[in-house]
Structures are given as C-alpha cells and as structure tokens.
Amino acid sequence: MKGLFQYNWEVRHAWFKWCLSQPQEELVKKRSGGMGSIKKNLFHIVDVEVSWIYAILEKPDIQPDYSHYQTIQQIARFSDLHRSEIESVIFNYSSAFEHLPVKAAWSDEVCTQGDILRHLIAHEIHHIGQISVWTRESGSAPVSASYIGRKI
Amino acid sequence: MKGLFQYNWEVRHAWFKWCLSQPQEELVKKRSGGMGSIKKNLFHIVDVEVSWIYAILEKPDIQPDYSHYQTIQQIARFSDLHRSEIESVIFNYSSAFEHLPVKAAWSDEVCTQGDILRHLIAHEIHHIGQISVWTRESGSAPVSASYIGRKI
C-alpha cells in the first residue's frame, strides 16, 4: 500500500513539473475519455484522494470548486496541502484497519478502509495512464510510469 | 497486493469480453501511446506479468511472439494458462518475501519481490487506462475501472 501511494505521489509530482513546461492550451485542451483534459484529470486525482481520506478520518468532504483552480501550481498546492493528513492514514495503516467500515457522505454503500486505499491507488494510476496517451497524441513524451527503478 | 491483482484480473477479463463485442479492426487499429493498439496493450499486460512472475519463480522467460496471437481469445487463453503459477506467488506472498532479491534475465538490476509485484499492479492499471481513452475516442464506453463496488 505505502509503496504504491509513494509511487503515485512521485509520478503526480513529475506530471505537475512536466505541465509547467507545456503551453496552457495543451493542459486545458478538450480530450476524449477520463475527466476531459490533462488539468482536470490531475485535479480529479487530488480531489478524490482527499475526499476518501477525509471520509476515513470522519472529516466533512471539502468539495473544492474546479473553477477556482486556474493553474497547475494551484492544483500542486492543493495536492501538497492535505499530504500530512493523508500520510497519517497511509503510514499508520496496518491489517488491523483492513475491514474497518467507512461511510462516505456521497455514497449509500459502506466501504472498508482497505478497499478505499486500493481504490485510490488504482484510481490515480488509471487516470495517469489516460494522460500518457493524450500526451503522445500531442507529440510529447510522457512521464515514466515504471515502478521499478524508483528506489521507493 | 492480492486485492489489486484480483482487481486487475477481473478488469482484464471484462476487457477481453468487451473485445469480443468489437470489430477486429478496432482492436488492431494503430493508436498513439502505450503499445500502439488495444490488442497489443492487452497482450503486453499478460506478457509482462508472466515474465516477472517467472523471474520470481526462477524459471526461464518464455518470450511469446505477438504474431502468434491473432485473436483476443488466444490472448485470453495466454492469460489463463499461467494463472495458477502466478497465483502461487501472489496468494503465498507475505512481508517475509518483500526484500527477497530477484534477478531477471533481461535486466542488469536486481529487484525485490515486493517491488516487482507493485510494478505489475501499476503496469496493468496504467495500460488499461490507456485503452479506456482509445475506447472513448472510438465512441464506445470503457469497462469500469472502479475498485470499490467489486466485492473483491
């Protein structure tokens, strides 16, 4: 679990950095699939991670408004802002928490902590895979997605 | 670990089934990014999983020739063929294996079992994310990528 979260944060950070080298129109260009643009995919990844971790922490969902996030730097700050709370869940996680029930405000279903963390891992990698295709379609090289070689 | 492998196998199976409802030309159509087509991405996912698990099992790499896999059914059979060997690694995995070194024939680097399994999880989800975008671009609905709701 921890290694895959660290991988996701490292890859996400590399994409934020990559975005800073791109013209803004590439980041907001309407694309098919995912959340519809590189910038929206990155915002969505952070938003979903914070929302589920807040549900585990029994904190109210913050529901950020995408229109307030005009730049990649703002999304990167949003990603950094809640990292310590997220780490408090991830780094303290053990099998004792696996089946603990979590009720998110936006769902009727009761989930378990283990399922939520695995959902977050898969959710981010999936949306990053989408960005990698859009990037190749625009003629750029994507950030490496390899887990091996990172020394996490 | 186990849950994310089971998720990947379930999603992969759903994509094989989805492929059977599609015209062959959609599956082999040249795309930007990933391995260049839906069929090649699916073959690559299976090939990479088998290769790394065989490295863990200290078996020689089988290096299958893509040109021998003309249909999705053949790739699905390839995926099923080695499942019991793969499960023997995944279902018996414990933290005792985390740092065990593995030397794959195709790499100079020595990896650990833990890193290889996390690599395989991320590798498959990443390539499935790419297929989901190609599918939307072709006007089809992708297989659900949600972990939550699967009762794994």
Side-chain angles (χ1 to χ4, degrees):
Chain A
M1 293 281 211
K2 291 167 200 167
L4 283 162
F5 269 90
Q6 286 177 303
Y7 161 83
N8 272 344
W9 294 331
E10 196 170 305
V11 172
R12 187 193 305 174
H13 178 78
W15 275 105
F16 286 145
K17 200 172 161 192
W18 176 92
C19 285
L20 296 177
S21 72
Q22 300 294 309
Q24 176 77 357
E25 54 268 29
E26 273 301 320
L27 309 181
V28 298
K29 187 179 161 186
K30 178 87 188 82
R31 321 267 180 169
S32 288
M35 303 308 289
S37 78
I38 293 172
K39 186 167 153 260
K40 277 189 181 164
N41 261 36
L42 289 168
F43 174 79
H44 177 67
I45 285 167
V46 181
D47 183 21
V48 166
E49 185 174 276
V50 173
S51 289
W52 278 110
I53 298 291
Y54 268 40
I56 288 174
L57 292 168
E58 298 182 350
K59 288 185 165 188
D61 189 20
I62 56 173
Q63 296 184 292
D65 184 337
Y66 177 67
S67 69
H68 297 161
Y69 293 81
Q70 296 291 316
T71 67
I72 285 295
Q73 289 94 329
Q74 285 172 311
I75 298 174
R77 277 198 294 275
F78 175 32
S79 173
D80 290 342
L81 188 62
H82 305 281
R83 182 62 49 81
S84 63
E85 290 161 294
I86 295 167
E87 283 180 354
S88 75
V89 173
I90 306 306
F91 294 160
N92 293 312
Y93 186 80
S94 76
S95 57
F97 300 100
E98 173 65 33
H99 299 290
L100 279 187
V102 178
K103 174 70 183 69
W106 61 86
S107 171
D108 291 334
E109 206 182 339
V110 175
C111 306
T112 65
Q113 280 203 26
D115 281 352
I116 290 170
L117 299 195
R118 285 185 288 277
H119 178 73
L120 290 177
I121 288 165
H123 182 264
E124 176 152 352
I125 300 169
H126 184 77
H127 283 301
I128 291 289
Q130 297 173 327
I131 296 176
S132 78
V133 156
W134 293 334
T135 298
R136 283 279 182 215
E137 287 171 345
S138 294
S140 296
V143 166
S144 167
S146 182
Y147 186 97
I148 284 174
R150 289 183 182 272
K151 315 277 179 222
I152 288 173
Chain B
M1 292 282 214
K2 292 166 197 165
L4 283 163
F5 270 90
Q6 287 176 303
Y7 160 84
N8 272 344
W9 295 331
E10 195 172 306
V11 171
R12 189 193 305 175
H13 178 78
W15 275 105
F16 286 145
K17 200 172 160 192
W18 176 92
C19 285
L20 296 176
S21 72
Q22 299 295 308
Q24 176 77 357
E25 55 268 30
E26 273 300 319
L27 309 181
V28 299
K29 186 178 161 188
K30 178 88 189 81
R31 322 263 180 172
S32 289
M35 303 307 289
S37 79
I38 293 173
K39 186 165 155 262
K40 277 189 182 166
N41 260 37
L42 289 168
F43 174 79
H44 176 67
I45 284 167
V46 182
D47 182 22
V48 166
E49 186 175 275
V50 173
S51 290
W52 278 112
I53 298 291
Y54 268 40
I56 288 175
L57 291 168
E58 297 181 352
K59 288 185 164 190
D61 190 20
I62 55 175
Q63 297 183 294
D65 184 337
Y66 177 68
S67 69
H68 297 161
Y69 293 81
Q70 295 292 316
T71 67
I72 285 294
Q73 289 95 328
Q74 286 172 311
I75 298 174
R77 278 198 291 276
F78 176 32
S79 173
D80 290 342
L81 187 62
H82 305 282
R83 182 64 48 83
S84 63
E85 291 162 293
I86 295 168
E87 283 180 355
S88 74
V89 173
I90 306 306
F91 294 160
N92 293 312
Y93 185 79
S94 76
S95 57
F97 300 100
E98 173 64 34
H99 299 291
L100 279 187
V102 178
K103 174 71 184 68
W106 62 86
S107 172
D108 290 335
E109 205 182 340
V110 176
C111 305
T112 65
Q113 280 203 26
D115 280 351
I116 289 170
L117 298 195
R118 285 185 289 278
H119 179 73
L120 289 177
I121 288 165
H123 182 264
E124 176 152 352
I125 300 169
H126 184 77
H127 283 300
I128 291 289
Q130 296 173 328
I131 296 177
S132 78
V133 156
W134 293 335
T135 298
R136 283 280 182 214
E137 287 170 347
S138 293
S140 296
V143 167
S144 167
S146 182
Y147 186 97
I148 283 175
R150 290 185 180 271
K151 315 276 181 224
I152 290 173

